[in-house]
């Protein structure tokens, strides 16, 4: 399924300082939206890496973000004077950042929904049954506790549910590795997701 952008992007140039442990690298925003930005820079951060960003709005004001690098644009060396390339980053929601703090010793999985239709399909197929399957190669054991973070990208919201591993699928042939988890509080999850699901047809 092709990725659909949920937020309007603005072609704004702001100075950005960034890094994984400090703000020692620099670049410019190629575009920016409520959900993320493209950073023009020769200093590429690895994909799926957490990054700190400071966006300088004017000489006196700046905004700090936490983000995840989601794509690269590499440019041949001979063209970098005109286009340095760069990386696309998704801004983390406040709830995701707090979850990292309070659940730092617990494995957390993110499940993203870019549209209401995707959430509705997943809810009807498995979430309403009290669990879900997550693709992962992370070594886990039956009954391990994990946090499942449902990122409702279309609404800029995150819903979290503590869960327990109930089944482990090993890679074999065309079958990918993953775990089946059962939610600790199915009713609570239903109540949290209900406002974002289409109303039942009458």
């Amino acid at each position: 399924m092709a990725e659909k952008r949920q937020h309007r992007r603005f072609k704004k140039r702001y100075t950005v300082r960034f890094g994984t442990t400090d703000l020692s690298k620099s670049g410019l925003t190629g575009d920016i939206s409520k959900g993320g930005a493209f950073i023009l820079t020769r200093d590429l951060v690895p994909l799926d890496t957490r990054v700190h960003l400071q966006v300088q709005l004017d000489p006196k004001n700046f905004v700090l973000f936490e983000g995840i690098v989601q794509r690269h644009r590499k440019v041949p060396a001979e063209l970098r004077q005109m286009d340095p390339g760069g990386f696309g980053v998704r801004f983390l929601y406040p709830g995701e950042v707090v979850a990292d703090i309070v659940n730092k010793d617990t494995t957390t999985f993110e499940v993203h929904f870019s549209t209401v239709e995707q959430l509705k399909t997943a809810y009807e197929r498995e979430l309403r049954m009290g669990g879900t399957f997550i693709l992962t190669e992370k070594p886990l054991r039956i009954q391990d506790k994990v946090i499942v973070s449902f990122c409702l990208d279309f609404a800029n919201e995150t819903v979290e549910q503590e869960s327990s591993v109930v089944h482990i699928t090993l890679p074999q042939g065309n079958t990918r590795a993953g775990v089946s988890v059962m939610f600790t509080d199915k009713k609570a999850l239903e109540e949290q997701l209900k406002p974002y699901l289409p109303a039942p047809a009458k």
Side-chain angles (χ1 to χ4, degrees):
M1 180 179 294
E3 178 185 358
K4 295 182 179 179
R5 288 178 175 173
Q6 297 299 309
H7 307 294
R8 181 184 174 190
R9 290 181 174 265
F10 297 91
K11 296 288 185 180
K12 296 282 188 178
R13 288 286 193 272
Y14 297 111
T15 299
V16 181
R17 301 194 67 81
F18 64 89
T20 56
T21 58
D22 55 24
L23 298 172
S24 59
K25 308 296 184 182
S26 63
L28 297 170
T29 56
D31 58 52
I32 191 167
S33 74
K34 290 193 296 183
F38 188 83
I39 310 300
L40 297 170
T41 180
R42 297 178 184 177
D43 296 309
L44 296 184
V45 178
L47 293 173
D48 299 320
T49 299
R50 179 85 164 260
V51 63
H52 315 302
L53 304 109
Q54 177 182 293
V55 180
Q56 196 74 37
L57 304 178
D58 57 45
K60 293 184 178 180
N61 298 293
F62 61 84
V63 182
L64 294 170
F65 293 99
E66 291 287 299
I68 296 289
V69 176
Q70 294 199 313
R71 68 185 180 95
H72 286 165
R73 189 177 77 210
K74 296 181 179 179
V75 175
E78 63 271 19
L79 300 178
R80 288 176 189 165
Q81 286 295 105
M82 296 180 290
D83 182 352
F87 61 88
V89 62
R90 178 181 72 83
F91 297 147
L92 295 178
Y93 309 139
E96 292 178 272
V97 177
V98 173
D100 280 352
I101 296 172
V102 299
N103 299 316
K104 63 180 181 179
D105 295 325
T106 303
T107 299
T108 300
F109 295 107
E110 289 186 3
V111 180
H112 287 267
F113 300 103
S114 60
T115 67
V116 173
E117 289 73 23
Q118 288 180 359
L119 174 62
K120 179 175 181 289
T121 298
Y123 181 80
E124 293 178 347
R125 186 180 66 238
E126 58 182 9
L127 301 185
R128 67 187 179 92
M129 305 297 184
T132 190
F133 178 77
I134 298 169
L135 291 170
T136 179
E137 295 182 355
K138 187 177 182 67
L140 292 166
R141 297 168 298 180
I142 298 296
Q143 297 188 347
D144 274 357
K145 297 294 185 182
V146 300
I147 300 294
V148 182
S149 182
F150 296 101
C151 301
L152 312 181
D153 297 337
F154 60 88
N156 282 350
E157 294 291 344
T158 301
V159 173
E160 291 184 342
Q161 179 65 212
E162 184 182 61
S163 309
S164 298
V165 176
V166 295
H167 181 75
I168 297 172
T169 300
L170 300 176
Q172 184 175 8
N174 294 327
T175 302
R176 298 173 65 184
V179 294
S180 297
V181 301
M182 182 174 292
F183 307 138
T184 300
D185 193 337
K186 174 188 165 188
K187 284 192 174 181
L189 180 64
E190 289 177 346
E191 290 300 314
Q192 289 176 295
L193 292 179
K194 190 175 180 180
Y196 306 102
L197 289 165
K202 295 183 178 179

